[in-house]
């Protein structure tokens, strides 16, 4: 379980990116974070991942205070960010240096199989399509068996077909081991399709504007009226954040 | 297109490329032959056939091998000295702002001095023989290697660092798993260019400051008006240079940074 207490983040240049964010995410829950550009979504994920530090407040994962990158937290970035000098296998196994070679290979293979890329182990990242790269990035985040996986607009660079395919795929993976997912997205449909809760952030500085439950049974029918209703509810919440948005200090 | 067609196509392409290259060479040799027949002066321009005969003689008496060996030893000595200095220095400077500010102006001032301009100083310091040639080749190789390695060091992508950190890489691990590999393509380019520069510089150095090697051999042959020997020396320099740079290129694509090139 992920517990975010009163965190604030002001960058050294004075930009107040986040203020007073408090959020609890239960084990196995999927939370989507939406909000306008600059509302601090990426900042929030960076803080949870331990890549950056909050200026105030605390973050705990399963009772462990996050002060640096932690194996319990995996992250998938918007761009795949695979290391181009490592093969697919090398990328997925990057964080498993502490394991024995056979164990590592086994885990890597399992993870690649899980994302449907078992035959791609020896490819270079530049030999992959965007969707394949993002699958590898997901495998890389999965392989350490983190209890929390952070995804920062993971599918936004993909075409609509691939995006829906990967969303469904992500749900299948989630159903296997039920990790906690925190998904930043600008795609309301994606939020409604995946999340059990949607957090709407409001910018300047980033604060929580609204948290709403998505009360749809899984599997969800993207074409149903109730799906549309959920989308509309989130859109209207977003609307209010945008209307009140103050221009950033120059 | 299926895989077999694709391969056939590639073989056809390769055959065409090689064929055209050979044709270009043949045309060049033909023009050379015609020009030498027309001139009819073996001191100004002996025909390729004479040069070939001279090749035979120089190979038979072993003197060509001796000169080639002398030049190659010098090139590699200078090249390795330069590389082992330039790469670490460039990477350190790429990561340290203070050292960069300290050293970069100096480098900017020394870099425009052509290797050949160092020769008088090198002779004064070291006398004639091998040392000035080592020094000149090292100077020539140093700057291309340094400049490229520096560019490689500064081309670090923050996203790659973050990805590695989020997967638990320690600062030390970052150095070897992210920083060095990201600099490697540029380092490889620098090495290739540096080797080419070193090869040109060794010939220059030998023209003036040595008593063996291909450059020396050219110079001596000029004095004795043995032009076909001069041309043997020149063509060997061309062949070996192309061979060294070509093999380094292959090494680069296959071994050093295969991930940087499409298969
Ligand atoms: N490294 C940084 N230094 C200074 N300010 C930053 C830094 N990173 C982000 N910011 C600022 O913090 C605020 C929040 O940025 P963040 O990237 O978290 O927004 P976001 O919600 O992810 O936006 P987007 O939807 O465009 O990705 C912005 O005003 C941004 O300019
Ligand atoms: Mg962002």
């Amino acid at each position: 379980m992920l517990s975010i207490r009163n965190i604030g983040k002001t960058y050294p240049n004075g930009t107040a990116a986040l203020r007073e964010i408090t959020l609890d995410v239960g084990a196995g829950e999927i939370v989507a974070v939406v909000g306008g550009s600059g509302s601090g979504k990426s900042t929030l994920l960076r803080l949870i991942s331990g890549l950056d530090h909050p200026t105030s407040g605390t973050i705990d994962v399963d009772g462990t205070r996050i002060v640096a990158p932690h194996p319990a937290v995996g992250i998938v970035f918007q761009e795949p960010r695979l290391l181009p000098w490592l093969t697919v296998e090398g990328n997925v196994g990057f964080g498993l240096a502490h394991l024995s070679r056979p164990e590592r290979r086994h885990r890597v293979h399992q993870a690649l199989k899980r994302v449907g890329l078992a035959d791609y182990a020896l490819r270079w990242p530049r030999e992959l399509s965007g969707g394949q790269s993002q699958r590898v990035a997901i495998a890389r985040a999965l392989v350490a068996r983190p209890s929390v996986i952070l995804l920062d607009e993971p599918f936004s660079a993909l075409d609509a077909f691939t995006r829906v395919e990967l969303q469904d795929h992500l749900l299948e993976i989630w159903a296997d081991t039920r990790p906690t997912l925190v998904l930043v997205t600008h795609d309301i449909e994606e939020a409604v399709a995946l999340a059990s809760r949607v957090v709407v952030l409001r910018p300047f500085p980033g604060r929580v504007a609204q948290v709403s439950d998505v009360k749809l049974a899984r599997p969800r029918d993207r074409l149903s009226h109730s799906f549309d209703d959920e989308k509309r509810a989130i859109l209207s919440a977003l609307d209010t954040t945008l209307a009140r948005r103050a221009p950033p200090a120059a | 297109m299926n895989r077999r067609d694709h391969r056939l196509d590639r073989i056809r392409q390769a055959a065409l490329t090689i064929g055209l290259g050979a044709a270009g060479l043949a045309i060049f040799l033909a023009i050379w032959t015609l020009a030498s027949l027309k001139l009819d002066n073996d001191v100004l321009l002996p025909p390729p056939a004479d040069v070939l005969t001279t090749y035979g003689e120089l190979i038979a008496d072993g003197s060509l091998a001796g000169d080639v060996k002398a030049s190659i030893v010098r090139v590699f000595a200078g090249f390795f000295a330069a590389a082992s200095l330039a790469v670490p220095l460039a990477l350190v400077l790429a990561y340290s702002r203070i050292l960069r500010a300290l050293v970069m102006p100096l480098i900017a001032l020394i870099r425009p001095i052509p290797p050949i301009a160092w020769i008088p100083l090198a002779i004064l310091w070291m006398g004639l023989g091998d040392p000035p040639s080592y020094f000149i080749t090292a100077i020539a190789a140093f700057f291309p290697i340094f400049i490229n390695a520096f560019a490689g060091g500064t081309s670090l992508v923050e996203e790659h660092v973050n990805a590695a950190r989020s997967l638990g890489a320690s600062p030390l691990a970052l150095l070897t798993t992210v920083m060095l590999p990201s600099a490697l393509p540029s380092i490889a380019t620098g090495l290739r260019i540096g080797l080419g520069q070193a090869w040109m510089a060794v010939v220059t150095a030998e023209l003036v400051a040595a008593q063996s090697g291909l450059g020396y051999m050219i110079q001596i042959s000029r004095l004795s008006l043995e032009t076909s020997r001069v041309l043997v020396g020149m063509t060997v320099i061309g062949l070996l240079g192309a061979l060294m740079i070509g093999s380094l290129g292959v090494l680069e694509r296959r071994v050093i940074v295969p991930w940087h090139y499409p298969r």
Side-chain angles (χ1 to χ4, degrees), chain A residues 46 51 69 75 81-82 84-85 94-95 124 126-127 140, chain B residues 159-160 162-163 165-167 177-178 181-182 259-260 262-263:
Chain A
R46 287 174 55 81
L51 283 171
I75 183 161
R81 299 189 191 181
L82 301 177
W85 48 87
F94 186 90
W124 298 113
R126 61 176 294 153
E127 299 172 328
R140 183 171 72 176
Chain B
E159 279 77 28
H160 292 152
N162 278 337
R165 280 183 59 212
S166 78
L167 295 164
T177 59
V178 181
S182 4
W259 47 270
H260 199 63
R263 277 197 271 237

PDB file of all heavy atoms in Angstrom, chain A residues 46 51 69 75 81-82 84-85 94-95 124 126-127 140, chain B residues 159-160 162-163 165-167 177-178 181-182 259-260 262-263:
ATOM      1  N   ARG A  46       7.712  11.115  -9.996  1.00  0.00           N
ATOM      2  CA  ARG A  46       9.146  11.139  -9.694  1.00  0.00           C
ATOM      3  C   ARG A  46       9.388  11.054  -8.188  1.00  0.00           C
ATOM      4  O   ARG A  46      10.328  10.402  -7.735  1.00  0.00           O
ATOM      5  CB  ARG A  46       9.794  12.405 -10.246  1.00  0.00           C
ATOM      6  CG  ARG A  46       9.957  12.419 -11.767  1.00  0.00           C
ATOM      7  CD  ARG A  46      10.483  13.771 -12.242  1.00  0.00           C
ATOM      8  NE  ARG A  46      11.720  14.122 -11.556  1.00  0.00           N
ATOM      9  CZ  ARG A  46      12.915  13.646 -11.914  1.00  0.00           C
ATOM     10  NH1 ARG A  46      13.012  12.833 -12.933  1.00  0.00           N
ATOM     11  NH2 ARG A  46      13.982  13.999 -11.243  1.00  0.00           N
ATOM     12  N   LEU A  51      13.141   9.068  -7.325  1.00  0.00           N
ATOM     13  CA  LEU A  51      14.135   9.714  -8.183  1.00  0.00           C
ATOM     14  C   LEU A  51      14.366  11.155  -7.745  1.00  0.00           C
ATOM     15  O   LEU A  51      15.401  11.739  -8.004  1.00  0.00           O
ATOM     16  CB  LEU A  51      13.671   9.699  -9.647  1.00  0.00           C
ATOM     17  CG  LEU A  51      13.814   8.374 -10.384  1.00  0.00           C
ATOM     18  CD1 LEU A  51      13.121   8.432 -11.741  1.00  0.00           C
ATOM     19  CD2 LEU A  51      15.282   8.024 -10.560  1.00  0.00           C
ATOM     20  N   PRO A  69      15.364   5.566  -5.033  1.00  0.00           N
ATOM     21  CA  PRO A  69      14.705   4.498  -5.787  1.00  0.00           C
ATOM     22  C   PRO A  69      14.700   3.188  -5.004  1.00  0.00           C
ATOM     23  O   PRO A  69      15.686   2.838  -4.356  1.00  0.00           O
ATOM     24  CB  PRO A  69      15.570   4.384  -7.048  1.00  0.00           C
ATOM     25  CG  PRO A  69      16.107   5.756  -7.251  1.00  0.00           C
ATOM     26  CD  PRO A  69      16.349   6.285  -5.850  1.00  0.00           C
ATOM     27  N   ILE A  75       8.857   1.831 -12.367  1.00  0.00           N
ATOM     28  CA  ILE A  75       8.315   2.959 -13.116  1.00  0.00           C
ATOM     29  C   ILE A  75       8.431   2.725 -14.620  1.00  0.00           C
ATOM     30  O   ILE A  75       9.405   2.165 -15.098  1.00  0.00           O
ATOM     31  CB  ILE A  75       8.990   4.291 -12.683  1.00  0.00           C
ATOM     32  CG1 ILE A  75       8.373   5.483 -13.403  1.00  0.00           C
ATOM     33  CG2 ILE A  75      10.489   4.251 -12.884  1.00  0.00           C
ATOM     34  CD1 ILE A  75       8.642   6.819 -12.719  1.00  0.00           C
ATOM     35  N   ARG A  81      12.486   4.764 -22.953  1.00  0.00           N
ATOM     36  CA  ARG A  81      13.735   4.950 -22.221  1.00  0.00           C
ATOM     37  C   ARG A  81      14.487   3.652 -21.990  1.00  0.00           C
ATOM     38  O   ARG A  81      15.085   3.438 -20.937  1.00  0.00           O
ATOM     39  CB  ARG A  81      13.494   5.612 -20.872  1.00  0.00           C
ATOM     40  CG  ARG A  81      12.891   6.977 -21.041  1.00  0.00           C
ATOM     41  CD  ARG A  81      12.851   7.703 -19.750  1.00  0.00           C
ATOM     42  NE  ARG A  81      12.044   8.906 -19.894  1.00  0.00           N
ATOM     43  CZ  ARG A  81      11.831   9.761 -18.930  1.00  0.00           C
ATOM     44  NH1 ARG A  81      12.350   9.546 -17.750  1.00  0.00           N
ATOM     45  NH2 ARG A  81      11.113  10.825 -19.132  1.00  0.00           N
ATOM     46  N   LEU A  82      14.412   2.773 -22.967  1.00  0.00           N
ATOM     47  CA  LEU A  82      15.272   1.594 -22.895  1.00  0.00           C
ATOM     48  C   LEU A  82      16.705   2.076 -23.119  1.00  0.00           C
ATOM     49  O   LEU A  82      16.937   3.053 -23.815  1.00  0.00           O
ATOM     50  CB  LEU A  82      14.869   0.597 -23.973  1.00  0.00           C
ATOM     51  CG  LEU A  82      13.433   0.114 -23.886  1.00  0.00           C
ATOM     52  CD1 LEU A  82      13.117  -0.822 -25.042  1.00  0.00           C
ATOM     53  CD2 LEU A  82      13.171  -0.576 -22.561  1.00  0.00           C
ATOM     54  N   PRO A  84      19.828   2.037 -25.050  1.00  0.00           N
ATOM     55  CA  PRO A  84      20.035   1.558 -26.415  1.00  0.00           C
ATOM     56  C   PRO A  84      21.204   0.595 -26.557  1.00  0.00           C
ATOM     57  O   PRO A  84      21.270  -0.142 -27.525  1.00  0.00           O
ATOM     58  CB  PRO A  84      20.285   2.837 -27.228  1.00  0.00           C
ATOM     59  CG  PRO A  84      20.455   3.941 -26.266  1.00  0.00           C
ATOM     60  CD  PRO A  84      19.938   3.499 -24.935  1.00  0.00           C
ATOM     61  N   TRP A  85      22.134   0.608 -25.599  1.00  0.00           N
ATOM     62  CA  TRP A  85      23.313  -0.248 -25.716  1.00  0.00           C
ATOM     63  C   TRP A  85      23.100  -1.625 -25.093  1.00  0.00           C
ATOM     64  O   TRP A  85      23.999  -2.443 -25.067  1.00  0.00           O
ATOM     65  CB  TRP A  85      24.536   0.415 -25.096  1.00  0.00           C
ATOM     66  CG  TRP A  85      24.276   0.984 -23.736  1.00  0.00           C
ATOM     67  CD1 TRP A  85      24.362   0.345 -22.551  1.00  0.00           C
ATOM     68  CD2 TRP A  85      23.860   2.313 -23.454  1.00  0.00           C
ATOM     69  NE1 TRP A  85      24.017   1.191 -21.541  1.00  0.00           N
ATOM     70  CE2 TRP A  85      23.717   2.415 -22.065  1.00  0.00           C
ATOM     71  CE3 TRP A  85      23.594   3.440 -24.261  1.00  0.00           C
ATOM     72  CZ2 TRP A  85      23.311   3.594 -21.449  1.00  0.00           C
ATOM     73  CZ3 TRP A  85      23.203   4.608 -23.634  1.00  0.00           C
ATOM     74  CH2 TRP A  85      23.069   4.677 -22.248  1.00  0.00           C
ATOM     75  N   PHE A  94      18.231  -5.499 -16.254  1.00  0.00           N
ATOM     76  CA  PHE A  94      19.145  -4.473 -15.719  1.00  0.00           C
ATOM     77  C   PHE A  94      19.121  -4.398 -14.200  1.00  0.00           C
ATOM     78  O   PHE A  94      20.162  -4.311 -13.556  1.00  0.00           O
ATOM     79  CB  PHE A  94      18.797  -3.111 -16.316  1.00  0.00           C
ATOM     80  CG  PHE A  94      19.770  -2.025 -15.941  1.00  0.00           C
ATOM     81  CD1 PHE A  94      20.871  -1.768 -16.732  1.00  0.00           C
ATOM     82  CD2 PHE A  94      19.595  -1.267 -14.793  1.00  0.00           C
ATOM     83  CE1 PHE A  94      21.775  -0.779 -16.402  1.00  0.00           C
ATOM     84  CE2 PHE A  94      20.500  -0.272 -14.443  1.00  0.00           C
ATOM     85  CZ  PHE A  94      21.594  -0.033 -15.250  1.00  0.00           C
ATOM     86  N   GLY A  95      17.919  -4.432 -13.640  1.00  0.00           N
ATOM     87  CA  GLY A  95      17.807  -4.257 -12.194  1.00  0.00           C
ATOM     88  C   GLY A  95      18.021  -5.540 -11.402  1.00  0.00           C
ATOM     89  O   GLY A  95      17.864  -5.549 -10.184  1.00  0.00           O
ATOM     90  N   TRP A 124      18.072  -5.345 -30.382  1.00  0.00           N
ATOM     91  CA  TRP A 124      18.436  -4.033 -29.853  1.00  0.00           C
ATOM     92  C   TRP A 124      17.181  -3.170 -29.795  1.00  0.00           C
ATOM     93  O   TRP A 124      16.289  -3.311 -30.635  1.00  0.00           O
ATOM     94  CB  TRP A 124      19.462  -3.338 -30.737  1.00  0.00           C
ATOM     95  CG  TRP A 124      20.762  -4.053 -30.858  1.00  0.00           C
ATOM     96  CD1 TRP A 124      21.265  -4.642 -31.994  1.00  0.00           C
ATOM     97  CD2 TRP A 124      21.731  -4.279 -29.834  1.00  0.00           C
ATOM     98  NE1 TRP A 124      22.484  -5.202 -31.727  1.00  0.00           N
ATOM     99  CE2 TRP A 124      22.795  -5.002 -30.426  1.00  0.00           C
ATOM    100  CE3 TRP A 124      21.809  -3.939 -28.481  1.00  0.00           C
ATOM    101  CZ2 TRP A 124      23.925  -5.386 -29.696  1.00  0.00           C
ATOM    102  CZ3 TRP A 124      22.925  -4.325 -27.770  1.00  0.00           C
ATOM    103  CH2 TRP A 124      23.971  -5.043 -28.376  1.00  0.00           C
ATOM    104  N   ARG A 126      16.602  -0.282 -30.826  1.00  0.00           N
ATOM    105  CA  ARG A 126      16.288   0.433 -32.059  1.00  0.00           C
ATOM    106  C   ARG A 126      15.613  -0.452 -33.103  1.00  0.00           C
ATOM    107  O   ARG A 126      15.134   0.039 -34.117  1.00  0.00           O
ATOM    108  CB  ARG A 126      17.530   1.087 -32.655  1.00  0.00           C
ATOM    109  CG  ARG A 126      18.619   0.110 -33.015  1.00  0.00           C
ATOM    110  CD  ARG A 126      19.779   0.822 -33.682  1.00  0.00           C
ATOM    111  NE  ARG A 126      19.377   1.375 -34.960  1.00  0.00           N
ATOM    112  CZ  ARG A 126      19.941   2.429 -35.535  1.00  0.00           C
ATOM    113  NH1 ARG A 126      20.904   3.042 -34.927  1.00  0.00           N
ATOM    114  NH2 ARG A 126      19.545   2.857 -36.695  1.00  0.00           N
ATOM    115  N   GLU A 127      15.592  -1.753 -32.845  1.00  0.00           N
ATOM    116  CA  GLU A 127      14.941  -2.660 -33.773  1.00  0.00           C
ATOM    117  C   GLU A 127      13.495  -2.958 -33.385  1.00  0.00           C
ATOM    118  O   GLU A 127      12.882  -3.868 -33.932  1.00  0.00           O
ATOM    119  CB  GLU A 127      15.727  -3.973 -33.859  1.00  0.00           C
ATOM    120  CG  GLU A 127      17.145  -3.768 -34.368  1.00  0.00           C
ATOM    121  CD  GLU A 127      18.012  -5.003 -34.275  1.00  0.00           C
ATOM    122  OE1 GLU A 127      17.816  -5.802 -33.335  1.00  0.00           O
ATOM    123  OE2 GLU A 127      18.891  -5.170 -35.129  1.00  0.00           O
ATOM    124  N   ARG A 140      10.288  -4.638 -18.003  1.00  0.00           N
ATOM    125  CA  ARG A 140      11.400  -4.210 -17.170  1.00  0.00           C
ATOM    126  C   ARG A 140      10.916  -3.760 -15.795  1.00  0.00           C
ATOM    127  O   ARG A 140      11.576  -3.980 -14.781  1.00  0.00           O
ATOM    128  CB  ARG A 140      12.162  -3.087 -17.887  1.00  0.00           C
ATOM    129  CG  ARG A 140      13.377  -2.607 -17.147  1.00  0.00           C
ATOM    130  CD  ARG A 140      14.209  -1.664 -17.983  1.00  0.00           C
ATOM    131  NE  ARG A 140      13.561  -0.368 -18.150  1.00  0.00           N
ATOM    132  CZ  ARG A 140      14.122   0.655 -18.787  1.00  0.00           C
ATOM    133  NH1 ARG A 140      15.309   0.523 -19.316  1.00  0.00           N
ATOM    134  NH2 ARG A 140      13.480   1.786 -18.901  1.00  0.00           N
TER     135      ARG A 140
ATOM    136  N   GLU B 159      17.218  11.001 -19.233  1.00  0.00           N
ATOM    137  CA  GLU B 159      16.215   9.934 -19.131  1.00  0.00           C
ATOM    138  C   GLU B 159      16.874   8.570 -18.909  1.00  0.00           C
ATOM    139  O   GLU B 159      16.338   7.740 -18.191  1.00  0.00           O
ATOM    140  CB  GLU B 159      15.359   9.874 -20.395  1.00  0.00           C
ATOM    141  CG  GLU B 159      14.242  10.888 -20.436  1.00  0.00           C
ATOM    142  CD  GLU B 159      14.736  12.285 -20.764  1.00  0.00           C
ATOM    143  OE1 GLU B 159      15.776  12.383 -21.455  1.00  0.00           O
ATOM    144  OE2 GLU B 159      14.117  13.257 -20.312  1.00  0.00           O
ATOM    145  N   HIS B 160      18.004   8.351 -19.574  1.00  0.00           N
ATOM    146  CA  HIS B 160      18.677   7.071 -19.387  1.00  0.00           C
ATOM    147  C   HIS B 160      19.202   6.940 -17.956  1.00  0.00           C
ATOM    148  O   HIS B 160      19.129   5.881 -17.351  1.00  0.00           O
ATOM    149  CB  HIS B 160      19.822   6.920 -20.390  1.00  0.00           C
ATOM    150  CG  HIS B 160      19.340   6.772 -21.806  1.00  0.00           C
ATOM    151  ND1 HIS B 160      20.075   7.165 -22.893  1.00  0.00           N
ATOM    152  CD2 HIS B 160      18.178   6.291 -22.290  1.00  0.00           C
ATOM    153  CE1 HIS B 160      19.392   6.915 -23.990  1.00  0.00           C
ATOM    154  NE2 HIS B 160      18.230   6.385 -23.654  1.00  0.00           N
ATOM    155  N   ASN B 162      17.914   8.398 -15.340  1.00  0.00           N
ATOM    156  CA  ASN B 162      16.762   8.170 -14.469  1.00  0.00           C
ATOM    157  C   ASN B 162      16.252   6.741 -14.558  1.00  0.00           C
ATOM    158  O   ASN B 162      15.907   6.136 -13.540  1.00  0.00           O
ATOM    159  CB  ASN B 162      15.632   9.139 -14.823  1.00  0.00           C
ATOM    160  CG  ASN B 162      15.847  10.485 -14.175  1.00  0.00           C
ATOM    161  OD1 ASN B 162      16.554  10.589 -13.169  1.00  0.00           O
ATOM    162  ND2 ASN B 162      15.267  11.518 -14.753  1.00  0.00           N
ATOM    163  N   ALA B 163      16.203   6.215 -15.784  1.00  0.00           N
ATOM    164  CA  ALA B 163      15.751   4.841 -15.946  1.00  0.00           C
ATOM    165  C   ALA B 163      16.658   3.907 -15.151  1.00  0.00           C
ATOM    166  O   ALA B 163      16.188   3.045 -14.403  1.00  0.00           O
ATOM    167  CB  ALA B 163      15.733   4.457 -17.426  1.00  0.00           C
ATOM    168  N   ARG B 165      18.653   4.655 -12.635  1.00  0.00           N
ATOM    169  CA  ARG B 165      18.528   4.891 -11.190  1.00  0.00           C
ATOM    170  C   ARG B 165      17.271   4.234 -10.644  1.00  0.00           C
ATOM    171  O   ARG B 165      17.280   3.635  -9.567  1.00  0.00           O
ATOM    172  CB  ARG B 165      18.488   6.390 -10.906  1.00  0.00           C
ATOM    173  CG  ARG B 165      19.845   7.065 -10.907  1.00  0.00           C
ATOM    174  CD  ARG B 165      19.724   8.528 -10.536  1.00  0.00           C
ATOM    175  NE  ARG B 165      19.132   8.686  -9.220  1.00  0.00           N
ATOM    176  CZ  ARG B 165      18.366   9.728  -8.870  1.00  0.00           C
ATOM    177  NH1 ARG B 165      18.101  10.686  -9.736  1.00  0.00           N
ATOM    178  NH2 ARG B 165      17.865   9.801  -7.655  1.00  0.00           N
ATOM    179  N   SER B 166      16.174   4.358 -11.386  1.00  0.00           N
ATOM    180  CA  SER B 166      14.927   3.781 -10.884  1.00  0.00           C
ATOM    181  C   SER B 166      15.028   2.263 -10.801  1.00  0.00           C
ATOM    182  O   SER B 166      14.283   1.624 -10.069  1.00  0.00           O
ATOM    183  CB  SER B 166      13.745   4.185 -11.772  1.00  0.00           C
ATOM    184  OG  SER B 166      13.720   3.414 -12.947  1.00  0.00           O
ATOM    185  N   LEU B 167      15.968   1.676 -11.556  1.00  0.00           N
ATOM    186  CA  LEU B 167      16.173   0.228 -11.479  1.00  0.00           C
ATOM    187  C   LEU B 167      17.249  -0.130 -10.467  1.00  0.00           C
ATOM    188  O   LEU B 167      17.732  -1.252 -10.433  1.00  0.00           O
ATOM    189  CB  LEU B 167      16.532  -0.320 -12.862  1.00  0.00           C
ATOM    190  CG  LEU B 167      15.418  -0.179 -13.896  1.00  0.00           C
ATOM    191  CD1 LEU B 167      15.958  -0.372 -15.303  1.00  0.00           C
ATOM    192  CD2 LEU B 167      14.300  -1.170 -13.607  1.00  0.00           C
ATOM    193  N   THR B 177      27.483   1.618 -16.555  1.00  0.00           N
ATOM    194  CA  THR B 177      26.345   1.084 -17.313  1.00  0.00           C
ATOM    195  C   THR B 177      25.628   2.140 -18.132  1.00  0.00           C
ATOM    196  O   THR B 177      24.865   1.802 -19.029  1.00  0.00           O
ATOM    197  CB  THR B 177      25.312   0.413 -16.384  1.00  0.00           C
ATOM    198  OG1 THR B 177      24.855   1.387 -15.449  1.00  0.00           O
ATOM    199  CG2 THR B 177      25.901  -0.758 -15.658  1.00  0.00           C
ATOM    200  N   VAL B 178      25.828   3.402 -17.819  1.00  0.00           N
ATOM    201  CA  VAL B 178      25.125   4.443 -18.575  1.00  0.00           C
ATOM    202  C   VAL B 178      26.084   5.460 -19.191  1.00  0.00           C
ATOM    203  O   VAL B 178      26.060   5.702 -20.401  1.00  0.00           O
ATOM    204  CB  VAL B 178      24.091   5.173 -17.695  1.00  0.00           C
ATOM    205  CG1 VAL B 178      23.352   6.234 -18.507  1.00  0.00           C
ATOM    206  CG2 VAL B 178      23.090   4.187 -17.122  1.00  0.00           C
ATOM    207  N   PRO B 181      28.755   3.797 -21.801  1.00  0.00           N
ATOM    208  CA  PRO B 181      28.114   3.377 -23.050  1.00  0.00           C
ATOM    209  C   PRO B 181      27.547   4.541 -23.863  1.00  0.00           C
ATOM    210  O   PRO B 181      27.609   4.517 -25.084  1.00  0.00           O
ATOM    211  CB  PRO B 181      26.987   2.444 -22.592  1.00  0.00           C
ATOM    212  CG  PRO B 181      27.363   2.003 -21.244  1.00  0.00           C
ATOM    213  CD  PRO B 181      28.201   3.084 -20.641  1.00  0.00           C
ATOM    214  N   SER B 182      26.994   5.574 -23.203  1.00  0.00           N
ATOM    215  CA  SER B 182      26.449   6.655 -24.035  1.00  0.00           C
ATOM    216  C   SER B 182      27.538   7.411 -24.758  1.00  0.00           C
ATOM    217  O   SER B 182      27.300   7.976 -25.811  1.00  0.00           O
ATOM    218  CB  SER B 182      25.592   7.663 -23.255  1.00  0.00           C
ATOM    219  OG  SER B 182      25.556   7.444 -21.921  1.00  0.00           O
ATOM    220  N   TRP B 259      24.978  -1.785 -31.300  1.00  0.00           N
ATOM    221  CA  TRP B 259      23.610  -1.324 -31.063  1.00  0.00           C
ATOM    222  C   TRP B 259      23.336   0.016 -31.720  1.00  0.00           C
ATOM    223  O   TRP B 259      22.201   0.448 -31.840  1.00  0.00           O
ATOM    224  CB  TRP B 259      23.369  -1.201 -29.558  1.00  0.00           C
ATOM    225  CG  TRP B 259      24.470  -0.479 -28.842  1.00  0.00           C
ATOM    226  CD1 TRP B 259      25.595  -1.026 -28.295  1.00  0.00           C
ATOM    227  CD2 TRP B 259      24.574   0.926 -28.598  1.00  0.00           C
ATOM    228  NE1 TRP B 259      26.383  -0.060 -27.726  1.00  0.00           N
ATOM    229  CE2 TRP B 259      25.785   1.150 -27.901  1.00  0.00           C
ATOM    230  CE3 TRP B 259      23.743   2.017 -28.896  1.00  0.00           C
ATOM    231  CZ2 TRP B 259      26.185   2.416 -27.490  1.00  0.00           C
ATOM    232  CZ3 TRP B 259      24.159   3.271 -28.495  1.00  0.00           C
ATOM    233  CH2 TRP B 259      25.361   3.466 -27.803  1.00  0.00           C
ATOM    234  N   HIS B 260      24.407   0.677 -32.153  1.00  0.00           N
ATOM    235  CA  HIS B 260      24.251   2.008 -32.732  1.00  0.00           C
ATOM    236  C   HIS B 260      23.937   1.934 -34.226  1.00  0.00           C
ATOM    237  O   HIS B 260      23.545   2.915 -34.827  1.00  0.00           O
ATOM    238  CB  HIS B 260      25.545   2.785 -32.500  1.00  0.00           C
ATOM    239  CG  HIS B 260      25.392   4.265 -32.620  1.00  0.00           C
ATOM    240  ND1 HIS B 260      24.586   4.980 -31.784  1.00  0.00           N
ATOM    241  CD2 HIS B 260      25.922   5.165 -33.484  1.00  0.00           C
ATOM    242  CE1 HIS B 260      24.642   6.266 -32.125  1.00  0.00           C
ATOM    243  NE2 HIS B 260      25.438   6.389 -33.149  1.00  0.00           N
ATOM    244  N   PRO B 262      22.020  -0.067 -37.566  1.00  0.00           N
ATOM    245  CA  PRO B 262      20.993  -1.034 -37.927  1.00  0.00           C
ATOM    246  C   PRO B 262      21.636  -2.275 -38.535  1.00  0.00           C
ATOM    247  O   PRO B 262      22.680  -2.180 -39.171  1.00  0.00           O
ATOM    248  CB  PRO B 262      20.158  -0.291 -38.972  1.00  0.00           C
ATOM    249  CG  PRO B 262      21.035   0.790 -39.495  1.00  0.00           C
ATOM    250  CD  PRO B 262      22.012   1.124 -38.413  1.00  0.00           C
ATOM    251  N   ARG B 263      21.018  -3.423 -38.290  1.00  0.00           N
ATOM    252  CA  ARG B 263      21.543  -4.658 -38.872  1.00  0.00           C
ATOM    253  C   ARG B 263      21.063  -4.795 -40.302  1.00  0.00           C
ATOM    254  O   ARG B 263      19.983  -4.341 -40.631  1.00  0.00           O
ATOM    255  CB  ARG B 263      21.083  -5.859 -38.060  1.00  0.00           C
ATOM    256  CG  ARG B 263      21.973  -6.083 -36.868  1.00  0.00           C
ATOM    257  CD  ARG B 263      21.770  -7.481 -36.309  1.00  0.00           C
ATOM    258  NE  ARG B 263      20.705  -7.493 -35.330  1.00  0.00           N
ATOM    259  CZ  ARG B 263      20.852  -7.908 -34.070  1.00  0.00           C
ATOM    260  NH1 ARG B 263      21.998  -8.336 -33.657  1.00  0.00           N
ATOM    261  NH2 ARG B 263      19.843  -7.906 -33.249  1.00  0.00           N
TER     262      ARG B 263
END
